[in-house]
Amino acid sequence: MAAIPSPSYAITLRLEAPTGPRTTTNLVAAVGATGAAVTAVDVVESTDTQMVVDISANARDDAHVGEMRVALEAIDGVTVRHVSDATFLMHLGGKLEVRPKVNLRHREDLSRAYTPGVARVSLAIAERPEDARRLTIARNTVAVVTDGTAVLGLGDIGPAAAMPVMEGKAALFKQFAGVDAWPVPLDTKDTEEIIRIVKAIAPAYGGVNLEDISAPRCFEIERRLREELDIPVFHDDQHGTAIVVLAALINALKVVGKAIEDVRIVVSGVGAAGSAIIRLLVGQGARNIVGFDRNGSIHAGSDYSDDHREWLVKNTNPEGFAGSLTDGLVGADVFIGVSAGNILTGEDVSRMAEGAIVFALANPTPEVDPIAAAEHAAVVATGRSDYPNQINNVLAFPGLFRGLLDARASAISDEVLRASAVAIADVVADGERNPSYIVPSVFDAAVAKKVAAAVVEVVRAERAASGEEPPLTGALPLGAGQE
């Protein structure tokens, strides 16, 4: 799949060129001839003989930037002074900062925000520890925890290199749901140490978002933290992906006129994301799912060393299919890929059932070329922003945590995940839904609000069903000047 110019490679070349009637035209033509998308031309300085010009353009990759430079310097008299990268400029000094929510204008403000007045609040929390989630930043703060072992498609690059990704995640939390999130990169790969550290820092947070931790350790870390903490713990690589996949599939099935109970679903990749997707689809009513790893289908009669594959053996592949992914795709209604790029062809997709649905979500290269898949499938989705129907976790996690924090939830149930998916799907109205629009835009403000509302409703219903008392939500602890 050929790369195309992208805003993620937005660069500006500052150059010197001889003054002339066709100077800027020639410069733009040279850059455009390399396949770049020119976005701006600015004359910075100009004399009778020389000009300094900034050419801004979107490139494909670093090599393409080099091609642009060579093309410009091939013009007589042109010298490239400097190349700046907008993405790196955005990251200078990081993407986050801390600002106080209260004004400290005079001595009275200081005496309430800090000593001596703050001691009264500390004593109130000491008497009622549960009030920490009302009277501190824990009320609205999430820890974004990673060990840097499975970052995007980059693999194990370490916690420091993972920081820009975690900062971006935190920025999305704030932008889309008003949640204060903070990166917590851990310089350890030891499962027990990660669990101990997260438990130790938990008092400062109202929830934990586990991010980019490699399988199978991520399963144990999430399971243990959910058991041992009284705040929600969410592994986004598993459940965030699963939520958005289910939302997209709900609408895709409506487009092709099929029911989830009746379709055969093939899932390529049964790691963190794949396992979570399958579990959520089963919860939604799917009856015929076949999972595939690099060795072929997951089926009864084979020995598996992990609990997740054993669960798949017991709960999927009712027909006992044993074989390769390409053979398993024959006659399938739905393909969901969370595995590796370019493992299928358009011809493979052509062997699926009529009205096929293809979600090729490997990044940056999907399992099958989306254009080739679209020649045979009725609906195609990817994880990329340069094709329709992007399956993007940002549709899920901001609103999910907004609802969990607002409801003062202590855990995340499967029903919370399912309800979040349904809420996302419902943002796309009946009159809007079509093969190229099965999920809403990440910039649709209604998404986070609807997801949060759905989460709050489920948490409150579950709390009422269990007989649990609802948490206090007032600003003051009991007895602190209230009558």
Side-chain angles (χ1 to χ4, degrees):
M1 193 175 79
I4 62 175
S6 164
S8 66
Y9 270 98
I11 57 98
T12 298
L13 301 103
R14 174 160 291 187
L15 49 90
E16 293 181 5
T19 300
R22 292 185 54 80
T23 297
T24 55
T25 301
N26 292 339
L27 296 174
V28 171
V31 173
T34 70
V38 178
T39 57
V41 180
D42 297 293
V43 177
V44 180
E45 299 174 16
S46 180
T47 68
D48 291 343
T49 58
Q50 285 289 112
M51 301 173 68
V52 176
V53 182
D54 283 349
I55 304 287
S56 298
N58 293 339
R60 294 186 298 270
D61 49 31
D62 289 337
H64 190 198
V65 176
E67 292 176 26
M68 294 160 61
R69 182 168 191 154
V70 169
L72 287 167
E73 292 187 331
I75 301 173
D76 287 343
V78 172
T79 302
V80 176
R81 281 189 185 177
H82 178 70
V83 180
S84 62
D85 187 314
T87 297
F88 276 82
L89 292 174
M90 176 183 280
H91 286 78
L92 286 177
K95 301 189 288 288
L96 305 174
E97 65 179 3
V98 175
R99 294 187 182 186
K101 293 169 59 179
V102 296
N103 293 320
L104 302 177
R105 298 161 296 186
H106 40 63
R107 190 175 299 275
E108 287 79 3
D109 287 342
L110 188 60
S111 70
R112 288 189 285 269
Y114 198 52
T115 185
V118 71
R120 296 175 54 227
V121 181
S122 293
L123 287 172
I125 293 172
E127 292 178 8
R128 286 176 49 89
E130 61 269 30
D131 279 344
R133 288 183 70 180
R134 293 195 298 143
L135 298 171
T136 72
I137 61 169
R139 179 173 184 161
N140 193 55
T141 305
V142 170
V144 182
V145 178
T146 188
D147 65 357
T149 55
V151 181
L152 302 177
L154 307 175
D156 185 354
I157 61 174
M163 271 292 286
V165 182
M166 303 308 117
E167 288 182 16
K169 187 89 173 190
L172 295 173
F173 266 113
K174 189 66 174 180
Q175 179 70 30
F176 293 111
V179 172
D180 298 317
W182 197 254
V184 183
L186 303 180
D187 193 10
T188 177
K189 300 178 186 178
D190 182 82
T191 296
E192 292 299 326
E193 189 172 12
I194 291 172
I195 293 169
R196 284 195 300 272
I197 293 171
V198 175
K199 288 174 62 178
I201 67 172
Y205 300 95
V208 174
N209 183 106
L210 300 174
E211 192 78 19
D212 293 346
I213 299 174
S214 63
R217 295 175 310 119
C218 60
F219 300 118
E220 175 69 6
I221 291 169
E222 183 189 50
R223 182 186 67 79
R224 288 274 302 283
L225 288 174
R226 284 186 167 189
E227 290 175 355
E228 299 175 28
L229 289 176
D230 62 353
I231 57 176
V233 178
F234 179 80
H235 186 204
D236 186 48
D237 302 298
Q238 293 183 63
H239 309 299
T241 303
I243 288 170
V244 184
V245 166
L246 175 55
L249 185 58
I250 288 172
N251 281 334
L253 288 171
K254 290 179 180 178
V255 169
V256 299
K258 299 180 182 180
I260 195 168
E261 297 86 357
D262 302 328
V263 296
R264 183 158 70 87
I265 302 171
V266 167
V267 178
S268 175
V270 291
S275 295
I277 288 168
I278 292 171
R279 285 176 178 266
L280 198 55
L281 295 181
V282 169
Q284 184 67 11
R287 297 172 180 170
N288 192 350
I289 304 174
V290 184
F292 290 79
D293 62 15
R294 65 188 63 184
N295 298 314
S297 63
I298 306 297
H299 59 89
S302 295
D303 294 327
Y304 299 104
S305 59
D306 61 274
D307 293 340
H308 296 278
R309 281 175 172 77
E310 289 295 339
W311 185 92
L312 292 175
V313 168
K314 296 175 183 177
N315 293 275
T316 65
N317 200 355
E319 298 170 356
F321 175 83
S324 68
L325 174 62
T326 52
D327 288 340
L329 206 59
V330 177
D333 299 281
V334 179
F335 169 77
I336 299 171
V338 279
S339 51
N342 290 329
I343 59 174
L344 296 174
T345 65
E347 183 178 350
D348 294 323
V349 175
S350 72
R351 299 161 68 194
M352 295 178 65
E354 185 177 352
I357 296 167
V358 172
F359 292 177
L361 307 183
N363 251 330
T365 304
E367 284 82 358
V368 59
D369 186 313
I371 296 175
E375 293 179 2
H376 308 284
V379 180
V380 177
T382 72
R384 296 174 57 114
S385 60
D386 49 358
Y387 288 94
N389 299 325
Q390 184 189 18
I391 307 300
N392 192 328
N393 290 17
V394 75
L395 288 167
F397 67 81
L400 174 78
F401 269 99
R402 177 73 277 153
L404 293 170
L405 292 168
D406 289 348
R408 297 277 301 278
S410 59
I412 304 175
S413 67
D414 289 343
E415 180 58 21
V416 164
L417 305 179
R418 195 196 68 79
S420 298
V422 173
I424 294 170
D426 286 348
V427 174
V428 180
D430 290 341
E432 299 174 321
R433 192 185 308 110
N434 63 67
S436 296
Y437 188 60
I438 57 172
V439 288
S441 166
V442 296
F443 295 103
D444 189 331
V447 175
K449 293 177 182 177
K450 285 184 177 292
V451 172
V455 170
V456 169
E457 182 178 353
V458 171
V459 171
R460 288 176 175 170
E462 292 175 340
R463 187 176 283 138
S466 69
E468 179 185 349
E469 289 291 327
L472 296 172
T473 57
L476 298 175
L478 292 177
Q482 300 185 81
E483 297 183 359

